[in-house]
Amino acid sequence: MQRSGSGWFETLLNSHPNISSNGEIFNRVDRRQNISSIVQTLDKLYDLDWLTSAAKNECTAAFGFKWMLNQMSVLCHVTLMIPNFSKSQGFMDHHDDILSYLNKKGVSVIFLFRRNTLRRLISVLANNYDRDAKQLNGTHKSHVHSEEEAEILAKFKPELDVSTLVSNIRDVEKYMGDCLDSFNTTRRMILYYEDIIRNRNALFQVQEFLGVPVRKLVSRQVKIHTRPLPDLVRNWEDVNSRLNGTEYARFLDGADYVK
């Protein structure tokens, strides 16, 4: 899912010498325009013919990529897929054929979600704003590597449309559930962004799932929206009023994010 920490998670994985994740290989339309182009792209990856600056082909334990759930992520000996949500990149459009391919190849899938979809929505809106505003010296950055850059981007407070807020959250959660139902026969691990933040053992469990030696994983990325929720939204009172009394009131907890 877009803005669920998949970029950060991938940098953590790639800090391991035996893991190579090659980014969003299906961000190009020609690689996902039909099932034939998808399979051709996957075959190239699994034949270790994927030569990019992100490739680490000397890796012999786990290799793969990130595929937005509108793409997905995959690694092999152990193969890893880190599905992510944004605009469709063929993942759900051809899920039966893709599922068959993944099972045949013995692919292991890591589904990365965010429990607090309200925080994800705030991050999406802020990121969309910066695509046009280009707040960092005229450059758009979805991820940053300094506290100064993070502070600049965090100053923008989006205004949420409360009339569609509940339906938007419900649609995202339904999409997550549909995806898990569609790929319930793969060897998979379901991981949440909040668990990586809070649980020091979460990344150990990921490495055990991938069958690689357990070690400390690191990333140079700096988190942007770490403040309490009321400090991140321009119309917080309206948002708070709309979600209170609903099943999504749990997202209003300001302590949801632990830095």
Side-chain angles (χ1 to χ4, degrees):
M1 181 180 299
Q2 184 188 27
R3 309 308 296 174
S4 290
S6 61
W8 172 60
F9 179 55
E10 190 172 39
T11 63
L12 288 167
L13 291 178
N14 278 330
S15 72
H16 195 294
N18 300 123
I19 299 176
S20 178
S21 187
N22 294 274
E24 296 177 24
I25 67 173
F26 285 107
N27 58 355
R28 278 178 39 180
V29 176
D30 61 306
R31 295 174 181 166
R32 54 181 165 86
Q33 58 188 356
N34 52 50
I35 188 59
S36 295
S37 60
I38 290 174
V39 169
Q40 184 178 14
T41 301
L42 292 174
D43 281 342
K44 185 175 182 180
L45 178 84
Y46 292 133
D47 289 340
L48 291 182
D49 289 331
W50 198 264
L51 303 177
T52 68
S53 59
K56 195 195 299 178
N57 287 343
E58 72 277 8
C59 163
T60 58
F63 64 91
F65 62 96
K66 183 171 67 174
W67 199 344
M68 307 300 278
L69 263 191
N70 61 4
Q71 279 184 13
M72 196 144 100
S73 302
V74 191
L75 298 173
C76 192
H77 251 16
V78 172
T79 301
L80 163 69
M81 294 180 53
I82 311 164
N84 196 332
F85 292 97
S86 60
K87 58 187 179 182
S88 179
Q89 294 179 345
F91 178 53
M92 292 296 285
D93 296 334
H94 307 284
H95 68 269
D96 288 336
D97 292 318
I98 294 172
L99 177 61
S100 176
Y101 182 97
L102 298 181
N103 287 337
K104 180 180 178 180
K105 290 288 187 178
V107 173
S108 299
V109 183
I110 297 179
F111 288 93
L112 178 64
F113 299 124
R114 192 158 186 169
R115 282 196 174 91
N116 193 325
T117 52
L118 176 61
R119 275 194 174 271
R120 188 198 71 86
L121 177 59
I122 294 169
S123 181
V124 168
L125 293 175
N127 188 60
N128 288 344
Y129 170 79
D130 188 65
R131 289 183 191 278
D132 295 325
K134 296 179 173 59
Q135 302 165 90
L136 298 175
N137 298 319
T139 302
H140 167 60
K141 291 186 178 181
S142 295
H143 308 102
V144 297
H145 298 91
S146 74
E147 296 287 350
E148 293 77 14
E149 290 180 326
E151 181 64 25
I152 291 172
L153 294 183
K155 288 180 180 178
F156 172 73
K157 296 182 180 182
E159 182 171 332
L160 276 61
D161 183 353
V162 294
S163 67
T164 61
L165 184 56
V166 170
S167 60
N168 284 342
I169 293 175
R170 184 177 295 119
D171 288 346
V172 168
E173 296 205 332
K174 181 180 184 303
Y175 193 41
M176 291 163 58
D178 289 346
C179 177
L180 292 176
D181 288 343
S182 297
F183 290 85
N184 60 4
T185 62
T186 58
R187 180 178 182 267
R188 69 184 189 180
M189 177 180 188
I190 301 172
L191 183 66
Y192 291 93
Y193 171 87
E194 290 85 353
D195 291 341
I196 304 175
I197 294 290
R198 296 173 175 176
N199 181 3
R200 63 186 302 270
N201 293 320
L203 291 176
F204 294 161
Q205 294 165 0
V206 169
Q207 294 171 79
E208 290 171 352
F209 174 76
L210 294 176
V212 298
V214 174
R215 58 175 291 168
K216 181 179 179 180
L217 304 181
V218 297
S219 172
R220 292 178 52 244
Q221 286 191 14
V222 176
K223 299 290 147 196
I224 299 172
H225 299 104
T226 61
R227 297 172 182 169
L229 280 170
D231 296 336
L232 299 177
V233 181
R234 187 184 310 171
N235 58 331
W236 174 251
E237 292 300 325
D238 294 334
V239 171
N240 186 67
S241 176
R242 180 66 186 91
L243 294 184
N244 255 322
T246 73
E247 60 185 307
Y248 305 119
R250 65 186 186 276
F251 295 151
L252 298 172
D253 181 5
D256 179 79
Y257 188 98
V258 178
K259 189 174 180 180

